[in-house]
Amino acid sequence: MYIRSIMRQVIECAKSSNNIPVCAAIAVEDRIISILTNNSSYSFEHAEFLVITDAIKILSNKYLDSASIYITLEPCILCSSLLLNVRIKDIFFGAYSVKTGSITHGKRIFDNSTHTTNIVGGLYEDECANIMQNFFKSKRH
């Protein structure tokens, strides 16, 4: 069950982040080829954006149709659109994002797509949500 193993690694990565604790990993089969967190330098440098860019370079292919992404938080509209455009095979994420998510919330980017993507949300949902909540709680105090 490598899906849960990779999600555990993504969660640990998010916990060790100095930025907003969102982490994403790209894996081909059961091997992680890139794992990164958000970068606070630019507002668009979300973990998904960074890890996809890295994976494209590593694989020397603009499409990631043989790859899976693992994320601690439901992707926003920017990242969901990017995932759709790179033709990602699978999306696995932890916490749902009612405010900014766009896979099961908001625009639901993949609902009308002609590209088939396997999507599984809610993996370690409570733990992933707690990481985010604790981060913002510590910023308020």
Side-chain angles (χ1 to χ4, degrees):
M1 188 52 106
Y2 64 87
I3 293 169
R4 293 204 176 271
S5 172
I6 293 173
M7 275 302 292
R8 292 290 338 146
Q9 291 178 63
V10 171
I11 289 168
E12 291 308 313
C13 174
K15 286 179 181 177
S16 66
S17 174
N18 293 325
N19 296 311
I20 295 173
V22 176
C23 181
I26 296 281
V28 176
E29 295 177 15
D30 61 352
R31 186 177 65 86
I32 293 175
I33 62 168
S34 183
I35 184 167
L36 297 164
T37 60
N38 280 357
N39 183 337
S40 60
S41 297
Y42 299 100
S43 61
F44 63 86
E45 287 189 323
H46 294 183
E48 300 94 327
F49 175 85
L50 297 171
V51 79
I52 287 167
T53 303
D54 195 37
I56 287 170
K57 289 176 190 171
I58 290 167
L59 297 172
S60 299
N61 190 342
K62 66 181 182 178
Y63 297 115
L64 300 177
D65 51 1
S66 64
S68 302
I69 191 165
Y70 300 79
I71 321 154
T72 52
L73 184 65
E74 178 181 358
C76 69
I77 194 165
L78 169 80
C79 296
S80 294
S81 297
L82 181 58
L83 290 165
L84 183 62
N85 284 322
V86 299
R87 301 179 188 167
I88 197 83
K89 182 178 81 169
D90 303 296
I91 300 171
F92 301 100
F93 68 90
Y96 292 91
S97 178
V98 176
K99 290 182 182 179
T100 62
S102 66
I103 289 183
T104 60
H105 295 92
K107 294 288 184 185
R108 300 177 61 105
I109 294 295
F110 288 85
D111 280 4
N112 296 314
S113 170
T114 57
H115 176 69
T116 303
T117 302
N118 177 46
I119 300 170
V120 178
L123 297 169
Y124 299 103
E125 178 181 2
D126 291 340
E127 186 174 1
C128 291
N130 285 336
I131 294 168
M132 293 293 289
Q133 290 166 354
N134 291 339
F135 173 80
F136 286 109
K137 197 179 292 182
S138 73
K139 292 292 181 194
R140 287 191 281 275
H141 291 92

